[in-house]
PDB file of all heavy atoms in Angstrom:
ATOM      1  N   GLY B 476       8.672 -13.610  -0.734  1.00 94.00           N
ATOM      2  CA  GLY B 476       9.245 -12.828  -1.821  1.00 94.00           C
ATOM      3  C   GLY B 476       9.119 -11.343  -1.583  1.00 94.00           C
ATOM      4  O   GLY B 476      10.045 -10.565  -1.898  1.00 94.00           O
ATOM      5  N   ASP B 477       7.988 -10.924  -1.033  1.00 95.00           N
ATOM      6  CA  ASP B 477       7.795  -9.507  -0.723  1.00 95.00           C
ATOM      7  C   ASP B 477       8.818  -9.035   0.315  1.00 95.00           C
ATOM      8  O   ASP B 477       9.350  -7.918   0.221  1.00 95.00           O
ATOM      9  CB  ASP B 477       6.378  -9.265  -0.204  1.00 95.00           C
ATOM     10  CG  ASP B 477       5.325  -9.331  -1.295  1.00 95.00           C
ATOM     11  OD1 ASP B 477       5.706  -9.336  -2.476  1.00 95.00           O
ATOM     12  OD2 ASP B 477       4.128  -9.379  -0.957  1.00 95.00           O
ATOM     13  N   ARG B 478       9.097  -9.877   1.296  1.00 95.00           N
ATOM     14  CA  ARG B 478      10.077  -9.493   2.324  1.00 95.00           C
ATOM     15  C   ARG B 478      11.477  -9.368   1.717  1.00 95.00           C
ATOM     16  O   ARG B 478      12.254  -8.495   2.112  1.00 95.00           O
ATOM     17  CB  ARG B 478      10.068 -10.521   3.468  1.00 95.00           C
ATOM     18  CG  ARG B 478       8.827 -10.428   4.359  1.00 95.00           C
ATOM     19  CD  ARG B 478       9.009 -11.232   5.634  1.00 95.00           C
ATOM     20  NE  ARG B 478       9.022 -12.663   5.382  1.00 95.00           N
ATOM     21  CZ  ARG B 478       7.949 -13.450   5.349  1.00 95.00           C
ATOM     22  NH1 ARG B 478       6.752 -12.920   5.553  1.00 95.00           N
ATOM     23  NH2 ARG B 478       8.055 -14.743   5.123  1.00 95.00           N
ATOM     24  N   VAL B 479      11.784 -10.226   0.748  1.00 95.00           N
ATOM     25  CA  VAL B 479      13.081 -10.123   0.066  1.00 95.00           C
ATOM     26  C   VAL B 479      13.160  -8.801  -0.697  1.00 95.00           C
ATOM     27  O   VAL B 479      14.180  -8.110  -0.661  1.00 95.00           O
ATOM     28  CB  VAL B 479      13.283 -11.317  -0.888  1.00 95.00           C
ATOM     29  CG1 VAL B 479      14.496 -11.073  -1.800  1.00 95.00           C
ATOM     30  CG2 VAL B 479      13.493 -12.591  -0.092  1.00 95.00           C
ATOM     31  N   LEU B 480      12.096  -8.447  -1.392  1.00 95.00           N
ATOM     32  CA  LEU B 480      12.072  -7.178  -2.114  1.00 95.00           C
ATOM     33  C   LEU B 480      12.310  -6.008  -1.169  1.00 95.00           C
ATOM     34  O   LEU B 480      13.055  -5.071  -1.494  1.00 95.00           O
ATOM     35  CB  LEU B 480      10.736  -7.007  -2.831  1.00 95.00           C
ATOM     36  CG  LEU B 480      10.495  -7.887  -4.061  1.00 95.00           C
ATOM     37  CD1 LEU B 480       9.048  -7.801  -4.509  1.00 95.00           C
ATOM     38  CD2 LEU B 480      11.416  -7.462  -5.212  1.00 95.00           C
ATOM     39  N   GLN B 481      11.696  -6.043   0.006  1.00 95.00           N
ATOM     40  CA  GLN B 481      11.867  -4.966   0.974  1.00 95.00           C
ATOM     41  C   GLN B 481      13.312  -4.892   1.481  1.00 95.00           C
ATOM     42  O   GLN B 481      13.890  -3.814   1.617  1.00 95.00           O
ATOM     43  CB  GLN B 481      10.906  -5.176   2.146  1.00 95.00           C
ATOM     44  CG  GLN B 481       9.442  -4.964   1.757  1.00 95.00           C
ATOM     45  CD  GLN B 481       8.490  -5.403   2.862  1.00 95.00           C
ATOM     46  OE1 GLN B 481       8.826  -6.249   3.697  1.00 95.00           O
ATOM     47  NE2 GLN B 481       7.301  -4.823   2.869  1.00 95.00           N
ATOM     48  N   ARG B 482      13.912  -6.064   1.739  1.00 95.00           N
ATOM     49  CA  ARG B 482      15.272  -6.068   2.279  1.00 95.00           C
ATOM     50  C   ARG B 482      16.297  -5.650   1.215  1.00 95.00           C
ATOM     51  O   ARG B 482      17.261  -4.951   1.532  1.00 95.00           O
ATOM     52  CB  ARG B 482      15.593  -7.466   2.831  1.00 95.00           C
ATOM     53  CG  ARG B 482      14.694  -7.854   4.003  1.00 95.00           C
ATOM     54  CD  ARG B 482      15.040  -9.220   4.543  1.00 95.00           C
ATOM     55  NE  ARG B 482      16.304  -9.207   5.290  1.00 95.00           N
ATOM     56  CZ  ARG B 482      16.836 -10.284   5.871  1.00 95.00           C
ATOM     57  NH1 ARG B 482      16.195 -11.457   5.769  1.00 95.00           N
ATOM     58  NH2 ARG B 482      17.960 -10.190   6.536  1.00 95.00           N
ATOM     59  N   VAL B 483      16.075  -6.055  -0.014  1.00 96.00           N
ATOM     60  CA  VAL B 483      16.975  -5.619  -1.085  1.00 96.00           C
ATOM     61  C   VAL B 483      16.829  -4.119  -1.325  1.00 96.00           C
ATOM     62  O   VAL B 483      17.824  -3.407  -1.539  1.00 96.00           O
ATOM     63  CB  VAL B 483      16.704  -6.405  -2.375  1.00 96.00           C
ATOM     64  CG1 VAL B 483      17.482  -5.813  -3.558  1.00 96.00           C
ATOM     65  CG2 VAL B 483      17.097  -7.872  -2.194  1.00 96.00           C
ATOM     66  N   ALA B 484      15.586  -3.612  -1.282  1.00 95.00           N
ATOM     67  CA  ALA B 484      15.360  -2.162  -1.442  1.00 95.00           C
ATOM     68  C   ALA B 484      16.112  -1.397  -0.365  1.00 95.00           C
ATOM     69  O   ALA B 484      16.738  -0.359  -0.630  1.00 95.00           O
ATOM     70  CB  ALA B 484      13.872  -1.862  -1.382  1.00 95.00           C
ATOM     71  N   HIS B 485      16.058  -1.892   0.877  1.00 95.00           N
ATOM     72  CA  HIS B 485      16.773  -1.240   1.977  1.00 95.00           C
ATOM     73  C   HIS B 485      18.284  -1.300   1.742  1.00 95.00           C
ATOM     74  O   HIS B 485      19.007  -0.320   2.013  1.00 95.00           O
ATOM     75  CB  HIS B 485      16.433  -1.921   3.295  1.00 95.00           C
ATOM     76  CG  HIS B 485      17.225  -1.394   4.458  1.00 95.00           C
ATOM     77  ND1 HIS B 485      17.018  -0.153   5.012  1.00 95.00           N
ATOM     78  CD2 HIS B 485      18.274  -1.952   5.157  1.00 95.00           C
ATOM     79  CE1 HIS B 485      17.872   0.042   6.005  1.00 95.00           C
ATOM     80  NE2 HIS B 485      18.648  -1.025   6.107  1.00 95.00           N
ATOM     81  N   ALA B 486      18.776  -2.433   1.226  1.00 94.00           N
ATOM     82  CA  ALA B 486      20.206  -2.573   0.960  1.00 94.00           C
ATOM     83  C   ALA B 486      20.668  -1.556  -0.065  1.00 94.00           C
ATOM     84  O   ALA B 486      21.718  -0.919   0.095  1.00 94.00           O
ATOM     85  CB  ALA B 486      20.505  -3.991   0.466  1.00 94.00           C
ATOM     86  N   ILE B 487      19.881  -1.371  -1.118  1.00 94.00           N
ATOM     87  CA  ILE B 487      20.244  -0.397  -2.153  1.00 94.00           C
ATOM     88  C   ILE B 487      20.236   1.009  -1.581  1.00 94.00           C
ATOM     89  O   ILE B 487      21.174   1.788  -1.762  1.00 94.00           O
ATOM     90  CB  ILE B 487      19.286  -0.494  -3.348  1.00 94.00           C
ATOM     91  CG1 ILE B 487      19.388  -1.878  -3.999  1.00 94.00           C
ATOM     92  CG2 ILE B 487      19.581   0.581  -4.384  1.00 94.00           C
ATOM     93  CD1 ILE B 487      18.348  -2.136  -5.071  1.00 94.00           C
ATOM     94  N   LYS B 488      19.163   1.339  -0.858  1.00 94.00           N
ATOM     95  CA  LYS B 488      19.015   2.687  -0.313  1.00 94.00           C
ATOM     96  C   LYS B 488      20.127   3.026   0.671  1.00 94.00           C
ATOM     97  O   LYS B 488      20.589   4.173   0.755  1.00 94.00           O
ATOM     98  CB  LYS B 488      17.648   2.810   0.365  1.00 94.00           C
ATOM     99  CG  LYS B 488      17.267   4.224   0.788  1.00 94.00           C
ATOM    100  CD  LYS B 488      16.997   5.104  -0.412  1.00 94.00           C
ATOM    101  CE  LYS B 488      16.516   6.470   0.002  1.00 94.00           C
ATOM    102  NZ  LYS B 488      16.360   7.386  -1.147  1.00 94.00           N
ATOM    103  N   SER B 489      20.587   2.024   1.417  1.00 92.00           N
ATOM    104  CA  SER B 489      21.592   2.273   2.468  1.00 92.00           C
ATOM    105  C   SER B 489      22.985   2.558   1.909  1.00 92.00           C
ATOM    106  O   SER B 489      23.835   3.078   2.628  1.00 92.00           O
ATOM    107  CB  SER B 489      21.662   1.075   3.410  1.00 92.00           C
ATOM    108  OG  SER B 489      22.224  -0.052   2.743  1.00 92.00           O
ATOM    109  N   GLN B 490      23.207   2.229   0.631  1.00 92.00           N
ATOM    110  CA  GLN B 490      24.549   2.370   0.067  1.00 92.00           C
ATOM    111  C   GLN B 490      24.688   3.525  -0.910  1.00 92.00           C
ATOM    112  O   GLN B 490      25.726   3.671  -1.556  1.00 92.00           O
ATOM    113  CB  GLN B 490      24.942   1.058  -0.639  1.00 92.00           C
ATOM    114  CG  GLN B 490      24.971  -0.148   0.267  1.00 92.00           C
ATOM    115  CD  GLN B 490      25.929   0.026   1.436  1.00 92.00           C
ATOM    116  OE1 GLN B 490      27.070   0.428   1.247  1.00 92.00           O
ATOM    117  NE2 GLN B 490      25.466  -0.264   2.653  1.00 92.00           N
ATOM    118  N   VAL B 491      23.666   4.350  -1.041  1.00 93.00           N
ATOM    119  CA  VAL B 491      23.728   5.465  -1.981  1.00 93.00           C
ATOM    120  C   VAL B 491      23.569   6.790  -1.250  1.00 93.00           C
ATOM    121  O   VAL B 491      23.218   6.830  -0.063  1.00 93.00           O
ATOM    122  CB  VAL B 491      22.634   5.340  -3.070  1.00 93.00           C
ATOM    123  CG1 VAL B 491      22.830   4.073  -3.874  1.00 93.00           C
ATOM    124  CG2 VAL B 491      21.238   5.378  -2.462  1.00 93.00           C
ATOM    125  N   ARG B 492      23.819   7.871  -1.964  1.00 90.00           N
ATOM    126  CA  ARG B 492      23.698   9.217  -1.384  1.00 90.00           C
ATOM    127  C   ARG B 492      22.268   9.693  -1.427  1.00 90.00           C
ATOM    128  O   ARG B 492      21.427   9.163  -2.157  1.00 90.00           O
ATOM    129  CB  ARG B 492      24.593  10.177  -2.181  1.00 90.00           C
ATOM    130  CG  ARG B 492      26.044   9.778  -2.257  1.00 90.00           C
ATOM    131  CD  ARG B 492      26.767  10.562  -3.334  1.00 90.00           C
ATOM    132  NE  ARG B 492      26.200  10.342  -4.655  1.00 90.00           N
ATOM    133  CZ  ARG B 492      26.632  10.911  -5.770  1.00 90.00           C
ATOM    134  NH1 ARG B 492      27.655  11.747  -5.713  1.00 90.00           N
ATOM    135  NH2 ARG B 492      26.048  10.652  -6.934  1.00 90.00           N
ATOM    136  N   GLU B 493      21.981  10.727  -0.659  1.00 88.00           N
ATOM    137  CA  GLU B 493      20.644  11.300  -0.652  1.00 88.00           C
ATOM    138  C   GLU B 493      20.274  11.876  -2.021  1.00 88.00           C
ATOM    139  O   GLU B 493      19.116  11.927  -2.390  1.00 88.00           O
ATOM    140  CB  GLU B 493      20.543  12.414   0.411  1.00 88.00           C
ATOM    141  CG  GLU B 493      20.547  11.922   1.841  1.00 88.00           C
ATOM    142  CD  GLU B 493      19.299  11.129   2.186  1.00 88.00           C
ATOM    143  OE1 GLU B 493      18.230  11.418   1.610  1.00 88.00           O
ATOM    144  OE2 GLU B 493      19.386  10.223   3.018  1.00 88.00           O
ATOM    145  N   THR B 494      21.288  12.321  -2.753  1.00 87.00           N
ATOM    146  CA  THR B 494      21.033  12.942  -4.052  1.00 87.00           C
ATOM    147  C   THR B 494      20.833  11.918  -5.165  1.00 87.00           C
ATOM    148  O   THR B 494      20.406  12.284  -6.267  1.00 87.00           O
ATOM    149  CB  THR B 494      22.206  13.863  -4.435  1.00 87.00           C
ATOM    150  OG1 THR B 494      23.423  13.121  -4.366  1.00 87.00           O
ATOM    151  CG2 THR B 494      22.271  15.056  -3.500  1.00 87.00           C
ATOM    152  N   ASP B 495      21.164  10.657  -4.905  1.00 92.00           N
ATOM    153  CA  ASP B 495      20.977   9.616  -5.924  1.00 92.00           C
ATOM    154  C   ASP B 495      19.508   9.214  -5.999  1.00 92.00           C
ATOM    155  O   ASP B 495      18.774   9.311  -5.009  1.00 92.00           O
ATOM    156  CB  ASP B 495      21.833   8.393  -5.607  1.00 92.00           C
ATOM    157  CG  ASP B 495      23.320   8.710  -5.637  1.00 92.00           C
ATOM    158  OD1 ASP B 495      23.702   9.568  -6.456  1.00 92.00           O
ATOM    159  OD2 ASP B 495      24.070   8.126  -4.834  1.00 92.00           O
ATOM    160  N   VAL B 496      19.096   8.736  -7.147  1.00 94.00           N
ATOM    161  CA  VAL B 496      17.700   8.330  -7.359  1.00 94.00           C
ATOM    162  C   VAL B 496      17.614   6.810  -7.333  1.00 94.00           C
ATOM    163  O   VAL B 496      18.331   6.125  -8.064  1.00 94.00           O
ATOM    164  CB  VAL B 496      17.167   8.872  -8.704  1.00 94.00           C
ATOM    165  CG1 VAL B 496      15.815   8.249  -9.023  1.00 94.00           C
ATOM    166  CG2 VAL B 496      17.046  10.384  -8.649  1.00 94.00           C
ATOM    167  N   VAL B 497      16.755   6.283  -6.466  1.00 95.00           N
ATOM    168  CA  VAL B 497      16.528   4.844  -6.369  1.00 95.00           C
ATOM    169  C   VAL B 497      15.040   4.586  -6.551  1.00 95.00           C
ATOM    170  O   VAL B 497      14.210   5.271  -5.962  1.00 95.00           O
ATOM    171  CB  VAL B 497      16.984   4.294  -5.005  1.00 95.00           C
ATOM    172  CG1 VAL B 497      16.808   2.788  -4.958  1.00 95.00           C
ATOM    173  CG2 VAL B 497      18.425   4.665  -4.721  1.00 95.00           C
ATOM    174  N   ALA B 498      14.709   3.582  -7.353  1.00 95.00           N
ATOM    175  CA  ALA B 498      13.297   3.286  -7.595  1.00 95.00           C
ATOM    176  C   ALA B 498      13.117   1.795  -7.853  1.00 95.00           C
ATOM    177  O   ALA B 498      14.057   1.089  -8.256  1.00 95.00           O
ATOM    178  CB  ALA B 498      12.772   4.086  -8.786  1.00 95.00           C
ATOM    179  N   ARG B 499      11.905   1.327  -7.603  1.00 94.00           N
ATOM    180  CA  ARG B 499      11.538  -0.024  -8.026  1.00 94.00           C
ATOM    181  C   ARG B 499      11.084   0.093  -9.469  1.00 94.00           C
ATOM    182  O   ARG B 499      10.050   0.684  -9.768  1.00 94.00           O
ATOM    183  CB  ARG B 499      10.438  -0.579  -7.127  1.00 94.00           C
ATOM    184  CG  ARG B 499      10.117  -2.047  -7.437  1.00 94.00           C
ATOM    185  CD  ARG B 499       9.018  -2.578  -6.551  1.00 94.00           C
ATOM    186  NE  ARG B 499       8.699  -3.959  -6.896  1.00 94.00           N
ATOM    187  CZ  ARG B 499       7.652  -4.624  -6.391  1.00 94.00           C
ATOM    188  NH1 ARG B 499       6.834  -4.018  -5.543  1.00 94.00           N
ATOM    189  NH2 ARG B 499       7.428  -5.871  -6.745  1.00 94.00           N
ATOM    190  N   TYR B 500      11.853  -0.516 -10.339  1.00 93.00           N
ATOM    191  CA  TYR B 500      11.629  -0.354 -11.777  1.00 93.00           C
ATOM    192  C   TYR B 500      10.478  -1.238 -12.260  1.00 93.00           C
ATOM    193  O   TYR B 500       9.788  -0.923 -13.225  1.00 93.00           O
ATOM    194  CB  TYR B 500      12.910  -0.694 -12.519  1.00 93.00           C
ATOM    195  CG  TYR B 500      12.947  -0.218 -13.944  1.00 93.00           C
ATOM    196  CD1 TYR B 500      12.916   1.129 -14.251  1.00 93.00           C
ATOM    197  CD2 TYR B 500      13.058  -1.136 -15.000  1.00 93.00           C
ATOM    198  CE1 TYR B 500      12.962   1.577 -15.551  1.00 93.00           C
ATOM    199  CE2 TYR B 500      13.119  -0.705 -16.305  1.00 93.00           C
ATOM    200  CZ  TYR B 500      13.065   0.653 -16.581  1.00 93.00           C
ATOM    201  OH  TYR B 500      13.119   1.087 -17.877  1.00 93.00           O
ATOM    202  N   GLY B 501      10.263  -2.344 -11.568  1.00 88.00           N
ATOM    203  CA  GLY B 501       9.182  -3.258 -11.910  1.00 88.00           C
ATOM    204  C   GLY B 501       9.515  -4.662 -11.468  1.00 88.00           C
ATOM    205  O   GLY B 501      10.638  -5.140 -11.655  1.00 88.00           O
ATOM    206  N   GLY B 502       8.549  -5.370 -10.840  1.00 91.00           N
ATOM    207  CA  GLY B 502       8.803  -6.726 -10.390  1.00 91.00           C
ATOM    208  C   GLY B 502       9.940  -6.784  -9.411  1.00 91.00           C
ATOM    209  O   GLY B 502       9.954  -6.108  -8.379  1.00 91.00           O
ATOM    210  N   GLU B 503      10.968  -7.595  -9.742  1.00 95.00           N
ATOM    211  CA  GLU B 503      12.152  -7.730  -8.879  1.00 95.00           C
ATOM    212  C   GLU B 503      13.311  -6.879  -9.368  1.00 95.00           C
ATOM    213  O   GLU B 503      14.463  -7.103  -8.970  1.00 95.00           O
ATOM    214  CB  GLU B 503      12.594  -9.195  -8.805  1.00 95.00           C
ATOM    215  CG  GLU B 503      13.167  -9.752 -10.083  1.00 95.00           C
ATOM    216  CD  GLU B 503      12.110 -10.343 -11.025  1.00 95.00           C
ATOM    217  OE1 GLU B 503      10.931  -9.980 -10.910  1.00 95.00           O
ATOM    218  OE2 GLU B 503      12.492 -11.164 -11.857  1.00 95.00           O
ATOM    219  N   GLU B 504      13.029  -5.898 -10.200  1.00 96.00           N
ATOM    220  CA  GLU B 504      14.068  -5.060 -10.787  1.00 96.00           C
ATOM    221  C   GLU B 504      14.042  -3.654 -10.176  1.00 96.00           C
ATOM    222  O   GLU B 504      12.973  -3.073  -9.978  1.00 96.00           O
ATOM    223  CB  GLU B 504      13.875  -4.981 -12.295  1.00 96.00           C
ATOM    224  CG  GLU B 504      15.080  -4.437 -13.044  1.00 96.00           C
ATOM    225  CD  GLU B 504      14.964  -4.623 -14.542  1.00 96.00           C
ATOM    226  OE1 GLU B 504      13.982  -5.253 -14.993  1.00 96.00           O
ATOM    227  OE2 GLU B 504      15.849  -4.123 -15.264  1.00 96.00           O
ATOM    228  N   PHE B 505      15.224  -3.120  -9.912  1.00 97.00           N
ATOM    229  CA  PHE B 505      15.376  -1.789  -9.336  1.00 97.00           C
ATOM    230  C   PHE B 505      16.238  -0.938 -10.277  1.00 97.00           C
ATOM    231  O   PHE B 505      17.006  -1.463 -11.079  1.00 97.00           O
ATOM    232  CB  PHE B 505      16.030  -1.867  -7.956  1.00 97.00           C
ATOM    233  CG  PHE B 505      15.257  -2.682  -6.968  1.00 97.00           C
ATOM    234  CD1 PHE B 505      15.460  -4.047  -6.864  1.00 97.00           C
ATOM    235  CD2 PHE B 505      14.317  -2.089  -6.143  1.00 97.00           C
ATOM    236  CE1 PHE B 505      14.742  -4.816  -5.959  1.00 97.00           C
ATOM    237  CE2 PHE B 505      13.586  -2.837  -5.225  1.00 97.00           C
ATOM    238  CZ  PHE B 505      13.798  -4.208  -5.144  1.00 97.00           C
ATOM    239  N   ALA B 506      16.091   0.381 -10.152  1.00 96.00           N
ATOM    240  CA  ALA B 506      16.854   1.313 -10.990  1.00 96.00           C
ATOM    241  C   ALA B 506      17.558   2.314 -10.091  1.00 96.00           C
ATOM    242  O   ALA B 506      17.023   2.739  -9.073  1.00 96.00           O
ATOM    243  CB  ALA B 506      15.941   2.029 -11.973  1.00 96.00           C
ATOM    244  N   LEU B 507      18.768   2.693 -10.502  1.00 96.00           N
ATOM    245  CA  LEU B 507      19.591   3.607  -9.731  1.00 96.00           C
ATOM    246  C   LEU B 507      20.231   4.604 -10.686  1.00 96.00           C
ATOM    247  O   LEU B 507      20.778   4.216 -11.714  1.00 96.00           O
ATOM    248  CB  LEU B 507      20.677   2.815  -8.993  1.00 96.00           C
ATOM    249  CG  LEU B 507      21.739   3.569  -8.205  1.00 96.00           C
ATOM    250  CD1 LEU B 507      21.106   4.395  -7.105  1.00 96.00           C
ATOM    251  CD2 LEU B 507      22.752   2.587  -7.620  1.00 96.00           C
ATOM    252  N   VAL B 508      20.114   5.894 -10.364  1.00 96.00           N
ATOM    253  CA  VAL B 508      20.730   6.949 -11.171  1.00 96.00           C
ATOM    254  C   VAL B 508      21.758   7.670 -10.318  1.00 96.00           C
ATOM    255  O   VAL B 508      21.428   8.184  -9.244  1.00 96.00           O
ATOM    256  CB  VAL B 508      19.688   7.957 -11.702  1.00 96.00           C
ATOM    257  CG1 VAL B 508      20.363   8.980 -12.625  1.00 96.00           C
ATOM    258  CG2 VAL B 508      18.570   7.254 -12.449  1.00 96.00           C
ATOM    259  N   LEU B 509      22.997   7.705 -10.799  1.00 94.00           N
ATOM    260  CA  LEU B 509      24.105   8.340 -10.086  1.00 94.00           C
ATOM    261  C   LEU B 509      24.599   9.519 -10.905  1.00 94.00           C
ATOM    262  O   LEU B 509      24.934   9.351 -12.091  1.00 94.00           O
ATOM    263  CB  LEU B 509      25.241   7.347  -9.867  1.00 94.00           C
ATOM    264  CG  LEU B 509      24.867   6.026  -9.185  1.00 94.00           C
ATOM    265  CD1 LEU B 509      26.025   5.050  -9.259  1.00 94.00           C
ATOM    266  CD2 LEU B 509      24.459   6.264  -7.746  1.00 94.00           C
ATOM    267  N   LEU B 510      24.661  10.658 -10.293  1.00 90.00           N
ATOM    268  CA  LEU B 510      25.116  11.869 -10.981  1.00 90.00           C
ATOM    269  C   LEU B 510      26.482  12.281 -10.443  1.00 90.00           C
ATOM    270  O   LEU B 510      26.735  12.179  -9.236  1.00 90.00           O
ATOM    271  CB  LEU B 510      24.102  13.005 -10.765  1.00 90.00           C
ATOM    272  CG  LEU B 510      24.139  14.174 -11.757  1.00 90.00           C
ATOM    273  CD1 LEU B 510      23.826  13.724 -13.161  1.00 90.00           C
ATOM    274  CD2 LEU B 510      23.152  15.256 -11.318  1.00 90.00           C
ATOM    275  N   GLN B 511      27.352  12.715 -11.344  1.00 90.00           N
ATOM    276  CA  GLN B 511      28.664  13.248 -10.969  1.00 90.00           C
ATOM    277  C   GLN B 511      29.544  12.216 -10.263  1.00 90.00           C
ATOM    278  O   GLN B 511      30.192  12.520  -9.257  1.00 90.00           O
ATOM    279  CB  GLN B 511      28.525  14.498 -10.089  1.00 90.00           C
ATOM    280  CG  GLN B 511      27.755  15.634 -10.732  1.00 90.00           C
ATOM    281  CD  GLN B 511      27.766  16.886  -9.861  1.00 90.00           C
ATOM    282  OE1 GLN B 511      28.806  17.307  -9.394  1.00 90.00           O
ATOM    283  NE2 GLN B 511      26.616  17.477  -9.659  1.00 90.00           N
ATOM    284  N   VAL B 512      29.577  10.980 -10.760  1.00 92.00           N
ATOM    285  CA  VAL B 512      30.502   9.970 -10.248  1.00 92.00           C
ATOM    286  C   VAL B 512      31.276   9.382 -11.413  1.00 92.00           C
ATOM    287  O   VAL B 512      30.798   9.344 -12.544  1.00 92.00           O
ATOM    288  CB  VAL B 512      29.776   8.847  -9.467  1.00 92.00           C
ATOM    289  CG1 VAL B 512      29.087   9.397  -8.238  1.00 92.00           C
ATOM    290  CG2 VAL B 512      28.788   8.112 -10.359  1.00 92.00           C
ATOM    291  N   SER B 513      32.462   8.921 -11.134  1.00 91.00           N
ATOM    292  CA  SER B 513      33.298   8.294 -12.155  1.00 91.00           C
ATOM    293  C   SER B 513      32.830   6.872 -12.410  1.00 91.00           C
ATOM    294  O   SER B 513      32.010   6.316 -11.677  1.00 91.00           O
ATOM    295  CB  SER B 513      34.752   8.301 -11.700  1.00 91.00           C
ATOM    296  OG  SER B 513      34.904   7.480 -10.547  1.00 91.00           O
ATOM    297  N   VAL B 514      33.422   6.251 -13.456  1.00 91.00           N
ATOM    298  CA  VAL B 514      33.109   4.853 -13.740  1.00 91.00           C
ATOM    299  C   VAL B 514      33.460   3.972 -12.545  1.00 91.00           C
ATOM    300  O   VAL B 514      32.671   3.124 -12.120  1.00 91.00           O
ATOM    301  CB  VAL B 514      33.882   4.386 -15.000  1.00 91.00           C
ATOM    302  CG1 VAL B 514      33.713   2.880 -15.201  1.00 91.00           C
ATOM    303  CG2 VAL B 514      33.386   5.118 -16.233  1.00 91.00           C
ATOM    304  N   ALA B 515      34.653   4.181 -11.987  1.00 92.00           N
ATOM    305  CA  ALA B 515      35.109   3.353 -10.867  1.00 92.00           C
ATOM    306  C   ALA B 515      34.192   3.500  -9.659  1.00 92.00           C
ATOM    307  O   ALA B 515      33.862   2.509  -8.989  1.00 92.00           O
ATOM    308  CB  ALA B 515      36.543   3.735 -10.495  1.00 92.00           C
ATOM    309  N   THR B 516      33.768   4.727  -9.384  1.00 93.00           N
ATOM    310  CA  THR B 516      32.892   4.947  -8.226  1.00 93.00           C
ATOM    311  C   THR B 516      31.529   4.312  -8.437  1.00 93.00           C
ATOM    312  O   THR B 516      30.954   3.711  -7.522  1.00 93.00           O
ATOM    313  CB  THR B 516      32.734   6.457  -7.961  1.00 93.00           C
ATOM    314  OG1 THR B 516      34.017   7.024  -7.703  1.00 93.00           O
ATOM    315  CG2 THR B 516      31.823   6.711  -6.776  1.00 93.00           C
ATOM    316  N   ALA B 517      30.984   4.438  -9.656  1.00 93.00           N
ATOM    317  CA  ALA B 517      29.687   3.830  -9.954  1.00 93.00           C
ATOM    318  C   ALA B 517      29.744   2.321  -9.763  1.00 93.00           C
ATOM    319  O   ALA B 517      28.856   1.713  -9.148  1.00 93.00           O
ATOM    320  CB  ALA B 517      29.268   4.172 -11.381  1.00 93.00           C
ATOM    321  N   LEU B 518      30.814   1.686 -10.260  1.00 93.00           N
ATOM    322  CA  LEU B 518      30.974   0.240 -10.086  1.00 93.00           C
ATOM    323  C   LEU B 518      31.136  -0.115  -8.617  1.00 93.00           C
ATOM    324  O   LEU B 518      30.598  -1.124  -8.141  1.00 93.00           O
ATOM    325  CB  LEU B 518      32.188  -0.234 -10.880  1.00 93.00           C
ATOM    326  CG  LEU B 518      32.012  -0.293 -12.410  1.00 93.00           C
ATOM    327  CD1 LEU B 518      33.356  -0.464 -13.084  1.00 93.00           C
ATOM    328  CD2 LEU B 518      31.053  -1.402 -12.800  1.00 93.00           C
ATOM    329  N   GLN B 519      31.862   0.702  -7.888  1.00 93.00           N
ATOM    330  CA  GLN B 519      32.090   0.445  -6.464  1.00 93.00           C
ATOM    331  C   GLN B 519      30.780   0.503  -5.686  1.00 93.00           C
ATOM    332  O   GLN B 519      30.548  -0.296  -4.774  1.00 93.00           O
ATOM    333  CB  GLN B 519      33.093   1.441  -5.908  1.00 93.00           C
ATOM    334  CG  GLN B 519      33.572   1.105  -4.503  1.00 93.00           C
ATOM    335  CD  GLN B 519      34.551   2.131  -3.979  1.00 93.00           C
ATOM    336  OE1 GLN B 519      34.147   3.143  -3.436  1.00 93.00           O
ATOM    337  NE2 GLN B 519      35.852   1.876  -4.166  1.00 93.00           N
ATOM    338  N   ILE B 520      29.899   1.463  -6.034  1.00 94.00           N
ATOM    339  CA  ILE B 520      28.611   1.576  -5.348  1.00 94.00           C
ATOM    340  C   ILE B 520      27.783   0.319  -5.556  1.00 94.00           C
ATOM    341  O   ILE B 520      27.215  -0.255  -4.605  1.00 94.00           O
ATOM    342  CB  ILE B 520      27.857   2.823  -5.843  1.00 94.00           C
ATOM    343  CG1 ILE B 520      28.539   4.096  -5.337  1.00 94.00           C
ATOM    344  CG2 ILE B 520      26.398   2.795  -5.386  1.00 94.00           C
ATOM    345  CD1 ILE B 520      27.987   5.367  -5.933  1.00 94.00           C
TER     346      ILE B 520
END
């Protein structure tokens, strides 16, 4: 399970910009903050 968490964290980090905020929110949950993107772009990310 820990290895899955690490691989999912890498997947999230690899698809966002340097200016975006990515964090482990707790347990198996992650949080992502996107600034200055449209609805369509946020969904696409």
Side-chain angles (χ1 to χ4, degrees):
D477 286 348
R478 287 193 291 272
V479 169
L480 287 169
Q481 291 170 335
R482 297 181 73 180
V483 171
H485 175 72
I487 297 172
K488 189 69 176 175
S489 69
Q490 300 302 311
V491 299
R492 304 165 300 179
E493 289 293 330
T494 54
D495 297 327
V496 170
V497 183
R499 186 181 178 189
Y500 196 64
E503 69 272 22
E504 194 169 356
F505 301 88
L507 175 61
V508 184
L509 307 170
L510 200 62
Q511 301 185 49
V512 297
S513 65
V514 172
T516 300
L518 286 167
Q519 190 181 86
I520 289 172

